Amino acid sequence: MKTILIVDDDSDLRSLLKKTIEARGITVLEAGSAALAREILSNNDICLAIVDGLLPDESGVDFIAELRNHNPTVALIFVSAHFRDLKTFTRL
């Protein structure tokens, strides 16, 4: 079964995404911080991570870089209202 991880400190957004995705028969796990996401990842295999740009404990860009180093096959979606610069785009 496919499992998606949503990493975002906005619980309303996580809830909306979770309901929409689960309606399609996909398992969704949620984390409000990078630390919680790491804990979830240590116990679960995911096929996709949806990651916010600004997490309460670190940058979503940094978290994505770490995730790519540990599991380069995980698909990623970066979601942010704040990162709109070429440097961030290039890094992602």
Side-chain angles (χ1 to χ4, degrees):
M1 177 175 279
K2 293 181 180 181
T3 302
I4 293 174
L5 174 62
I6 301 169
V7 187
D8 196 307
D9 59 331
D10 183 336
S11 61
D12 291 335
L13 177 62
R14 288 194 324 263
S15 178
L16 175 67
L17 290 172
K18 182 175 181 166
K19 287 177 187 175
T20 303
I21 295 166
E22 284 183 335
R24 286 155 179 80
I26 300 169
T27 301
V28 177
L29 304 173
E30 299 178 62
S33 68
L36 183 54
R38 282 187 196 90
E39 185 177 322
I40 291 169
L41 288 167
S42 70
N43 297 311
N44 298 276
D45 291 322
I46 63 165
C47 63
L48 170 71
I50 301 171
V51 182
D52 183 25
L54 296 174
L55 300 170
D57 52 350
E58 75 178 79
S59 161
V61 176
D62 292 338
F63 177 78
I64 287 171
E66 178 184 334
L67 181 57
R68 280 185 172 154
N69 285 332
H70 288 92
N71 193 344
T73 63
V74 171
L76 294 158
I77 297 175
F78 179 73
V79 181
S80 182
H82 300 284
F83 290 94
R84 297 186 185 119
D85 59 89
L86 185 57
K87 181 179 176 186
T88 302
F89 177 78
T90 303
R91 185 167 178 212
L92 288 169

